[in-house]
Amino acid sequence: MNRFYVVLIGFLLAIANLSLAKESQQEVPRGHMQDLGLHRDSEGHIDILQEIPSAEEFWRKYVSKRTAVLIKGAAKDFPAKSLWTDPYISEKYGHLNVRLESKREGYQYPAGDVSLARDSLKHFVSTYVKENKYIVSQLPKPMYGDVLVPPCLACGDFNDSIVEVNYWMSSGGTRSLLHKDAPNILNCVLNGTKDWILIRPEHEYMVPLAKEPSMDGGGYSVLKVTKVDLIQFSKFRDCPYHIANVSAGDCLYVPYGTLHHVRSYGEKNMAVSFLFSRSLSHSKKFNDAGCEKQGPKNLADSTVAWDFDGATTLTMGLQEPAVYRRAALRAFRGKKNITTKLFMKRIGQTILPEDPQKRREARKKAIENFKLKNKKFITVDEISALPMDAFKPIIFISELDPVNTLQYEYRLFTKDQMREVFREVKDEKGGIDCEQFKEYYRRNLGGSERVAIEVIQEFDNDKDGKISKKERKKNMKRVLNLFEDDMPPEHVNDYADVFVYRDQREQVPKVDPMEIYYDGDAEKKYEFYRKGEGEGIRVKEGYTQFEDGEDPLFTSRKELSTKGENKDERNGDEEEEEMQMPDEEEDVDEYPNRDSRDEL
């Protein structure tokens, strides 16, 4: 009898376990731990145009509505499409350098022959097929002449709207993070094909975003695009998306703030991206001046806010100057003029960086470029009349990404790491084996040969190609000082430990909290205004993105509706007396010495 019960219990447990396993299997959501986009069917392909639209139609139907569209053949006549073969690039542009990224997510920036994350085009085209790297860079300005600006982006309000031009080149097989960009994008494919997944802003509340500063409106998701965890990130299971298949000669418009994931194919995949002002998506109407004889425009004849010379510091990812000018205009809060001290205090809360050294530099540039020295008052018309170039040095100081400099490699590795390296490569006589050091530095740290050689040269006083014990001891402190004390934050997290969701709601507000418009007519009320309604977008987990008062660059709706009523605006004197700001001579230090290659 006992045996019978034992067998019966075992049988029942087996059935229960089988049932639980089946139930557990049924609960695994579609697409779990698979590629991005397999969690559900797409909403279909985005709109496709067989002909290039007029500039006005492009703005009215797509840019003003933030609606993605594929324009077939818009890049088929670019000279670069036929000219930019590997031999041509190597021969004509091989001396220029570009920024690199790894083809596999989460990996350190690859080393080129210039430095970590930087390669000459000559070296790149001879190695990119075999190595884990591809170009994600600003397009060097000397290459502009081979690129055309499509007619729909070449006239009217689109004139002078290009923030930067980016260059992409790989041997295919690349996958981007799911991310979004602050400007509008027109991505034109020259070789290969690209498949895009696009998620409209109103569905962003379903996407886990990395917890990071969002002053510029960009950002990325912590989803692993090749292994999407739909149990941890359950909201994403129902997230709608559209697809876009882009072939050579086509251009894809991606509205700013639209989350997108890109996969590239082909033995050679190459594209040029025009990043243009997000403010065009909020204009009330389109000025089509100069569009009567609409046609393509050579990029070399166009104005680009941020250029790259192909040799020094990239300005990739910097904010468009117009945003900083609007923030400076906001400091007047409806008045025609205020004291320079009050103006400096207010822009100190908005466009000047928090880091003390950078703040001193940026403040000095603001006083110089805005012509504030020895002035008691500043008028709104004076700020309105400033050229965009007046704001560029401030942006450069505030927002420059270290990876865009030629000194990034020295920042990436720490003194402790380098001490360990030097211990490992010490020779029998107490000196440093140069060849062993270069090999160790490149293989174990992933550094570049050029920087390894520079380090050796710092030790080698007598320039005999050897590092003696005496040279090692004498120069060790100076060499270590080239590197950082502590490991800096990663430029892009592998996958963030902290993430946030937008509040669950069907749609985000129509207002774009990044964009504030200024009526510059001196005879009017000097009002700021926004298109639409709404107070910005809030997120959970104690982190606020674009919330009122959180991003000082952009004012709240409440503040806009009470212009001139705040107690600190009665006459400005109360604030001025409390500022305790030092005189200009004491405000800033001189620029620290730095490599001339890193000058703006």
Side-chain angles (χ1 to χ4, degrees):
M1 182 64 107
N2 289 339
R3 180 177 178 139
F4 172 77
Y5 281 114
V6 169
V7 173
L8 178 61
I9 290 170
F11 178 71
L12 292 174
L13 285 173
I15 293 176
N17 287 335
L18 185 64
S19 176
L20 286 171
K22 185 175 181 181
E23 182 179 346
S24 176
Q25 187 176 8
Q26 289 175 341
E27 289 177 354
V28 174
R30 172 181 168 180
H32 177 59
M33 305 308 284
Q34 298 181 45
D35 285 353
L36 186 76
L38 296 180
H39 63 290
R40 58 172 288 167
D41 292 340
S42 77
E43 301 297 295
H45 200 285
I46 62 167
D47 289 351
I48 301 175
L49 300 179
Q50 298 298 331
E51 295 183 357
I52 303 175
S54 69
E56 190 278 334
E57 181 185 0
F58 180 51
W59 173 83
R60 175 169 44 84
K61 290 185 177 180
Y62 304 102
V63 176
S64 68
K65 295 181 179 179
R66 293 175 68 186
T67 300
V69 66
L70 175 64
I71 309 173
K72 300 292 291 182
K76 65 182 177 61
D77 295 326
F78 285 18
K81 188 173 182 299
S82 57
L83 286 177
W84 285 0
T85 62
D86 288 359
Y88 180 88
I89 291 172
S90 180
E91 181 180 349
K92 186 167 183 179
Y93 302 121
H95 63 289
L96 303 173
N97 65 67
V98 289
R99 203 185 83 161
L100 300 177
E101 290 202 10
S102 168
K103 291 175 73 173
R104 296 192 291 275
E105 290 179 77
Y107 278 64
Q108 178 178 288
Y109 287 102
D113 66 341
V114 177
S115 67
L116 202 67
R118 194 74 75 87
D119 214 351
S120 70
L121 279 170
K122 183 174 184 178
H123 185 258
F124 179 82
V125 297
S126 66
T127 55
Y128 76 102
V129 173
K130 296 180 180 179
E131 295 187 5
N132 173 33
K133 63 181 181 181
Y134 70 114
I135 294 173
V136 183
S137 175
Q138 275 177 288
L139 180 70
K141 192 171 183 179
M143 301 174 75
Y144 281 12
D146 294 339
V147 176
L148 302 180
V149 180
C152 60
L153 200 65
C155 68
D157 280 343
F158 289 117
N159 266 332
D160 303 335
S161 71
I162 300 176
V163 180
E164 67 182 63
V165 182
N166 291 343
Y167 178 43
W168 306 73
M169 183 176 172
S170 74
S171 58
T174 65
R175 294 182 180 222
S176 75
L177 292 169
L178 179 62
H179 66 285
K180 58 179 179 175
D181 296 287
N184 287 298
I185 299 173
L186 189 67
N187 185 281
C188 298
V189 176
L190 304 177
N191 290 92
T193 58
K194 291 183 185 291
D195 289 344
W196 296 63
I197 289 176
L198 302 105
I199 298 173
R200 289 185 58 84
E202 56 261 37
H203 300 128
E204 189 180 300
Y205 69 87
M206 301 179 180
V207 181
L209 302 174
K211 186 175 180 179
E212 61 173 357
S214 55
M215 176 177 167
D216 65 355
Y220 65 98
S221 170
V222 299
L223 292 173
K224 294 186 178 182
V225 296
T226 58
K227 206 173 184 180
V228 180
D229 190 335
L230 294 173
I231 294 177
Q232 180 183 6
F233 305 115
S234 57
K235 292 181 186 177
F236 189 72
R237 297 180 191 180
D238 299 317
C239 184
Y241 67 93
H242 286 78
I243 60 171
N245 308 123
V246 190
S247 301
D250 300 342
C251 293
L252 173 67
Y253 166 59
V254 182
Y256 80 86
T258 297
L259 284 161
H260 54 278
H261 164 62
V262 191
R263 302 166 187 168
S264 66
Y265 305 94
E267 294 181 359
K268 178 180 179 180
N269 194 285
M270 190 161 53
V272 170
S273 259
F274 303 93
L275 278 63
F276 62 98
S277 177
R278 61 191 290 136
S279 64
L280 290 168
S281 297
H282 298 275
S283 301
K284 292 185 174 181
K285 61 181 180 179
F286 184 77
N287 178 1
D288 62 355
C291 294
E292 300 83 6
K293 299 179 180 179
Q294 188 175 356
K297 187 177 182 180
N298 194 285
L299 180 58
D301 299 325
S302 304
T303 299
V304 179
W306 295 106
D307 288 317
F308 169 50
D309 62 7
T312 57
T313 296
L314 289 95
T315 52
M316 190 173 184
L318 297 184
Q319 184 63 266
E320 58 178 292
V323 171
Y324 270 61
R325 181 160 72 178
R326 286 193 288 273
L329 289 169
R330 180 194 164 207
F332 292 88
R333 299 184 185 175
K335 290 192 172 187
K336 294 184 178 181
N337 63 76
I338 57 176
T339 65
T340 54
K341 285 188 176 181
L342 182 55
F343 176 77
M344 287 304 299
K345 178 180 180 180
R346 288 177 175 171
I347 68 168
Q349 297 168 341
T350 57
I351 65 178
L352 301 186
E354 293 183 3
D355 177 80
Q357 181 175 334
K358 288 183 177 181
R359 189 178 183 85
R360 288 193 295 269
E361 292 185 36
R363 192 172 187 279
K364 178 180 178 180
K365 278 296 177 185
I367 291 170
E368 176 187 335
N369 291 0
F370 300 168
K371 299 178 173 59
L372 301 181
K373 194 166 186 178
N374 301 322
K375 290 185 67 173
K376 179 69 175 175
F377 291 92
I378 181 73
T379 70
V380 73
D381 288 334
E382 288 174 312
I383 297 300
S384 296
L386 288 172
M388 291 300 182
D389 284 351
F391 298 89
K392 285 186 178 182
I394 302 170
I395 302 171
F396 185 82
I397 293 167
S398 303
E399 299 187 10
L400 180 65
D401 191 327
V403 76
N404 287 336
T405 70
L406 289 168
Q407 301 306 310
Y408 171 69
E409 192 166 339
Y410 288 106
R411 180 181 174 182
L412 182 65
F413 303 129
T414 66
K415 291 179 180 180
D416 286 342
Q417 282 180 305
M418 296 309 298
R419 283 192 188 96
E420 179 63 30
V421 172
F422 296 137
R423 279 195 291 267
E424 291 290 332
V425 299
K426 191 161 58 173
D427 62 25
E428 296 177 352
K429 297 181 180 180
I432 293 176
D433 185 317
C434 296
E435 291 304 315
Q436 189 179 351
F437 167 72
K438 285 196 292 185
E439 180 68 17
Y440 192 100
Y441 181 78
R442 291 168 57 199
R443 185 179 297 275
N444 292 57
L445 264 66
S448 69
E449 183 171 4
R450 183 186 70 83
V451 169
I453 292 171
E454 287 182 358
V455 171
I456 290 170
Q457 290 171 344
E458 287 293 320
F459 277 114
D460 188 11
N461 295 135
D462 57 13
K463 308 303 178 187
D464 64 352
K466 300 176 182 178
I467 301 173
S468 66
K469 179 179 180 180
K470 182 179 179 181
E471 288 174 323
R472 178 181 65 81
K473 287 189 172 183
K474 178 182 178 181
N475 299 314
M476 180 63 74
K477 184 176 180 180
R478 182 162 55 85
V479 170
L480 289 175
N481 282 338
L482 295 171
F483 298 89
E484 293 288 316
D485 287 313
D486 301 305
M487 180 65 71
E490 288 295 327
H491 172 62
V492 175
N493 295 342
D494 181 1
Y495 295 102
D497 294 326
V498 183
F499 65 93
V500 293
Y501 280 112
R502 299 249 193 242
D503 277 348
Q504 285 202 21
R505 60 175 92 185
E506 293 184 359
Q507 289 189 344
V508 298
K510 294 179 181 179
V511 62
D512 174 14
M514 290 293 294
E515 291 297 336
I516 296 173
Y517 297 86
Y518 169 71
D519 188 342
D521 189 337
E523 300 303 319
K524 294 187 178 180
K525 296 181 180 179
Y526 291 94
E527 294 181 348
F528 296 96
Y529 58 91
R530 292 175 177 174
K531 179 181 179 182
E533 297 294 333
E535 288 191 322
I537 303 167
R538 301 170 184 267
V539 293
K540 294 182 178 178
E541 306 294 335
Y543 176 72
T544 307
Q545 191 169 30
F546 303 151
E547 185 176 358
D548 290 348
E550 192 71 12
D551 185 346
L553 263 183
F554 309 104
T555 191
S556 67
R557 182 175 64 176
K558 180 179 179 181
E559 182 179 321
L560 295 179
S561 65
T562 57
K563 294 179 293 294
E565 294 178 8
N566 293 337
K567 63 180 180 180
D568 67 337
E569 291 191 359
R570 290 191 294 268
N571 54 31
D573 293 339
E574 293 84 0
E575 266 196 12
E576 184 180 337
E577 291 171 359
E578 296 174 1
M579 284 189 291
Q580 299 178 348
M581 296 180 67
D583 294 334
E584 285 80 3
E585 290 78 13
E586 301 174 358
D587 287 339
V588 297
D589 296 333
E590 291 298 320
Y591 276 90
N593 292 330
R594 60 187 180 194
D595 195 317
S596 61
R597 295 172 299 183
D598 285 344
E599 294 295 331
L600 179 62

